[in-house]
Amino acid sequence: SQQGEEDPQALSIQEGENATMNCSYKTSINNLQWYRQNSGRGLVHLILIRSNEREKHSGRLRVTLDTSKKSSSLLITASRAADTASYFCAPASNTGKLIFGQGTTLQVKP
Amino acid sequence: DVKVTQSSRYLVKRTGEKVFLECVQDMDHENMFWYRQDPGLGLRLIYFSYDVKMKEKGDIPEGYSVSREKKERFSLILESASTNQTSMYLCASAQSVLRAKNIQYFGAGTRLSVL
């Protein structure tokens, strides 16, 4: 399976700190996406990084991709209490289907 | 903005009942998906559809069927609900499965309890 495996499973930080979440996968990908889920709600797309890209930014989000190591990381800078949520990586196969991992639960304490 | 609407946020059904979960998207997307989400197991794909009347099994199709009679609507059917189908069900749509167009847009989810 090329399911994304997130690490750590849970992360607790203080407001203002940076949060880093990692993702590993097993097979070749077309792109890799990160999603966020607030408690009890649907997932929301955050960012997509193509297989030929190494780094991408969107606001306070920074995503890196290392296809040689089959890994990606999501960095949230200057975290806020509102960033409290679960974060999922989703590698996309060449057929375009996404495989979601179990997610990282982030708690940002005010 | 893409809108994916699931017909119910919460649903309580009895074992053996036939259950319909409805999902509608308003962006003319080709692809639609049904997932279930359980603690410790993440999101698992039940079925997906890449066109009207077309469907493909995902990772856990047993006990489920789907219907896509119109492009905007994708229904998940539990033929005879069982307690192990108690879960959060998430519907999603995507423009296509082609590169960079496979971003999925999710509904708010239906939390189904089977008693």
Side-chain angles (χ1 to χ4, degrees), chain B residues 64-108:
Chain B
Y64 303 94
S65 62
V66 290
S67 172
R68 193 160 180 209
E69 296 295 319
K70 293 185 178 181
K71 193 174 187 179
E72 67 270 19
R73 187 179 296 269
F74 192 35
S75 303
L76 180 69
I77 304 154
L78 286 67
E79 296 291 343
S80 177
S82 63
T83 55
N84 62 12
Q85 292 178 310
T86 291
S87 187
M88 170 72 116
Y89 289 87
L90 293 165
C91 174
S93 73
Q95 185 176 355
S96 80
V97 291
L98 297 177
R99 55 182 64 190
K101 293 185 180 179
N102 60 346
I103 293 170
Q104 293 189 14
Y105 297 85
F106 282 80

Side-chain angles (χ1 to χ4, degrees), chain A residues 3 30-31 33 35 37 40-45 48 50 88 92-103, chain B residues 9 33 35 37 40-43 45 48 57 59 88 90 97-100 102-109 111:
Chain A
Q3 179 180 18
N30 178 281
N31 63 65
Q33 301 177 30
Y35 288 78
Q37 183 181 35
R41 307 295 292 184
L43 279 71
V44 175
H45 174 79
L48 178 153
R50 292 181 171 83
F88 295 84
S93 70
N94 290 326
T95 63
K97 281 167 56 180
L98 302 182
I99 305 294
F100 292 88
Q102 295 185 30
Chain B
R9 288 283 286 128
F33 307 82
Y35 297 89
Q37 183 177 25
L41 296 176
L43 273 76
L45 182 63
F48 70 99
K57 294 179 180 178
D59 300 318
M88 170 72 116
L90 293 165
V97 291
L98 297 177
R99 55 182 64 190
N102 60 346
I103 293 170
Q104 293 189 14
Y105 297 85
F106 282 80
R111 190 166 292 281

Side-chain angles (χ1 to χ4, degrees), chain B residues 47-59:
Chain B
Y47 267 99
F48 70 99
S49 168
Y50 50 91
D51 202 350
V52 175
K53 296 191 187 295
M54 306 301 285
K55 62 184 179 184
E56 277 199 30
K57 294 179 180 178
D59 300 318

